[in-house]
């Protein structure tokens, strides 16, 4: 549609492996305008090989540790500007770790849009990995407030590594004490999506002001299980659709009003997947 913009996001679980398994064919067929990638796990030359050769403009924030993390944004038009990293100069080192937060500003017609490719830490209860996740979520909240104050149209997309509600995880009862569905983690999302400026009581009992951002997936799908975006490779999780919805489009209210369509591109069969995550594809009116 000429008056719409298609933004897709996906954790590729290593872009080189994803392209070997069919990512390029999916991308060629999906008519995407802006593509946000997480867990790229590659170097610039690999993105140039896969995306540059196909005519994409791309930005990349690789992880300082090879084979880990990495976020990228590919687009059909070049970004006007971009920024990497989350947290100020005095933020914890864990927050500033590379390969997890990349912002790009675009002009589409008369509209200005900021897209953020976000790869939140996976965490692990009672370990430094979970402490890094708390710090990252704190810094994310600060940046969300800044972004909402600076521009009308912004979208933070990607792998947030948290299922917000019981609807977002098939086996939620078995995961309430595990990173990804901890009440304290979920309470951040209660605030992220709560009415802006109003007092929100999180699922863990904590209180804080709402940020007023919109969860496109839940708003569009309604009160239904899923639709899920990630499935464990263990057992028959994919075949039984025992999944998690941890990949989001989190947008400013003004952009939320412009959602035309929302889809998760779940593969037709297990052996047709090119990542353990499925792309989240949203059309926005511009």
């Amino acid at each position: 549609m000429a008056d719409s913009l298609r933004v897709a996001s996906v954790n590729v679980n290593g872009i080189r492996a994803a392209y070997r398994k069919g990512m390029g064919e999916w991308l060629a067929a999906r008519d995407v305008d802006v593509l946000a990638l997480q867990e790229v796990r590659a170097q610039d030359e690999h993105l140039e090989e896969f995306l540059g050769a196909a005519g994409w403009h791309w930005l990349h924030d690789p992880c300082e540790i090879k084979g880990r993390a990495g976020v990228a944004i590919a687009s059909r038009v070049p970004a006007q500007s971009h920024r990497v990293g989350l947290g100020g100069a005095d933020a914890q080192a864990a927050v500033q770790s590379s390969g997890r937060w990349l912002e790009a500003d675009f002009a589409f017609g008369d509209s200005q849009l900021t897209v953020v490719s976000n790869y939140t830490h996976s965490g692990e209860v009672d370990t430094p990995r979970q402490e890094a996740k708390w710090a990252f979520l704190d810094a994310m909240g600060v940046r969300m407030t800044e972004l909402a104050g600076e521009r009308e149209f912004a979208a933070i997309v990607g792998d947030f590594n948290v299922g917000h509600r019981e609807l977002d995880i098939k086996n939620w009862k078995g995961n309430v004490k595990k990173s990804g569905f901890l009440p304290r983690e979920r309470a951040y999302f209660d605030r992220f999506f709560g009415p802006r400026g109003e007092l929100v009581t999180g699922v863990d009992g904590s209180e804080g002001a709402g940020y007023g951002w919109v969860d496109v997936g839940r708003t569009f799908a309604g009160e239904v299980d899923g639709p899920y975006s990630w499935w464990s490779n263990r057992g028959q999780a994919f075949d039984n659709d025992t999944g998690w919805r941890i990949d989001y489009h989190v947008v400013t209210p003004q952009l939320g009003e412009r959602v035309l369509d929302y889809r998760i591109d779940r593969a037709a069969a297990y052996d047709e997947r090119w990542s353990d995550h499925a792309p989240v594809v949203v059309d926005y009116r511009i």
Side-chain angles (χ1 to χ4, degrees):
M1 294 176 286
D3 59 348
S4 69
L5 180 77
R6 179 163 292 171
V7 180
S9 62
V10 61
N11 179 319
V12 296
N13 196 21
I15 194 170
R16 287 168 287 181
Y19 262 80
R20 287 197 303 270
K21 297 175 181 178
M23 177 182 167
E25 289 79 1
W26 167 83
L27 185 56
R30 281 310 259 128
D31 197 25
V32 172
D33 297 296
V34 179
L35 174 67
L37 306 174
Q38 302 86 47
E39 210 168 349
V40 175
R41 302 205 316 244
Q43 303 305 307
D44 285 355
E45 57 264 31
H46 301 118
L47 272 75
E48 182 59 34
E49 175 187 352
F50 298 130
L51 299 171
W56 291 88
H57 302 274
W58 56 269
L59 301 166
H60 183 210
D61 179 29
C63 183
E64 71 274 12
I65 304 173
K66 285 190 176 182
R68 298 281 300 277
V71 288
I73 296 175
S75 54
R76 287 304 186 186
V77 299
Q80 294 180 312
S81 59
H82 74 280
R83 296 161 297 280
V84 299
L86 182 61
D90 60 347
Q92 295 183 36
V95 178
Q96 298 187 71
S97 64
S98 59
R100 293 191 178 274
W101 189 272
L102 173 63
E103 302 181 8
D105 303 323
F106 298 96
F108 295 101
D110 295 329
S111 299
Q112 303 285 325
L113 173 67
T114 295
V115 175
V116 181
S117 184
N118 161 51
Y119 179 42
T120 303
H121 299 70
S122 56
E124 185 178 351
V125 174
D126 296 331
T127 73
R129 294 178 61 190
Q130 192 65 35
E131 294 304 315
K133 190 173 189 178
W134 299 135
F136 192 89
L137 289 169
D138 284 336
M140 185 190 301
V142 172
R143 186 57 183 148
M144 289 171 77
T145 298
E146 294 172 349
L147 282 171
E150 294 168 0
R151 60 210 76 197
E152 283 189 298
F153 304 121
I156 304 170
V157 305
D159 182 357
F160 285 66
N161 265 313
V162 175
H164 178 206
R165 297 174 55 197
E166 293 170 3
L167 293 173
D168 296 319
I169 300 182
K170 184 70 169 286
N171 181 26
W172 66 267
K173 291 182 180 178
N175 287 283
V176 292
K177 295 183 179 181
K178 297 180 181 178
S179 187
F181 200 61
L182 297 172
R184 180 179 168 187
E185 293 174 332
R186 296 164 58 202
Y188 279 90
F189 287 67
D190 292 333
R191 292 186 289 273
F192 291 165
F193 304 137
R196 184 174 182 179
E198 295 186 15
L199 185 66
V200 174
T201 301
V203 68
D204 66 342
S206 64
E207 294 183 337
Y211 289 69
W213 286 61
V214 176
D215 175 357
V216 173
R218 181 55 59 211
T219 302
F220 194 88
E223 297 295 296
V224 300
D225 290 337
Y228 308 122
S229 63
W230 175 82
W231 301 262
S232 170
N233 285 321
R234 298 177 180 177
Q236 301 294 313
F238 182 82
D239 293 337
N240 296 330
D241 201 24
T242 304
W244 296 50
R245 189 178 74 94
I246 55 177
D247 301 274
Y248 296 78
H249 280 222
V250 176
V251 305
T252 52
Q254 299 93 327
L255 187 58
E257 293 174 356
R258 296 191 174 209
V259 175
L260 297 171
D261 193 31
Y262 167 93
R263 293 175 303 284
I264 292 182
D265 281 0
R266 187 181 190 275
Y270 180 88
D271 60 2
E272 295 181 26
R273 301 192 308 165
W274 40 267
S275 173
D276 53 350
H277 292 253
V280 181
V281 185
V282 182
D283 292 337
Y284 298 96
R285 176 173 51 86
I286 59 172

